[in-house]
Amino acid sequence: MIYNSNEQLVTELKKLLLDTKCSQRDIAKQMGISPQALQNLFNKKQLSFADLKRVLDCINCDLLVDFSVRPVSTVAEE
């Protein structure tokens, strides 16, 4: 999947938490922060890689990143 915004990434992360049956309260406790602080992380415009990794570590998941080159669009010359 291609993510174009942090909001999309956070939505997928929250789905993953539901799929793994982990509550945000449990994740916050494992991270040593309050549930409100975790919610604040999710609400940040730019969720950092480090924050994302900390959450994923709590649910025993890895982040896989794949880079791909976009095709070059050509505009017909007149």
Side-chain angles (χ1 to χ4, degrees), residues 72-78:
V72 177
S73 60
T74 58
V75 178
E77 294 184 24
E78 294 181 27

Side-chain angles (χ1 to χ4, degrees), residues 11-53:
T11 297
E12 289 301 313
L13 180 58
K14 287 180 178 180
K15 286 180 189 176
L16 180 60
L17 293 179
L18 288 173
D19 290 345
T20 58
K21 296 181 175 46
C22 292
S23 72
Q24 290 186 30
R25 182 174 298 282
D26 292 337
I27 299 300
K29 185 176 181 179
Q30 288 182 51
M31 292 175 68
I33 61 175
S34 70
Q36 183 61 42
L38 180 62
Q39 190 61 44
N40 290 342
L41 286 178
F42 288 161
N43 290 336
K44 284 187 349 185
K45 292 269 186 218
Q46 298 298 322
L47 179 67
S48 74
F49 178 84
D51 291 335
L52 181 57
K53 177 139 179 36

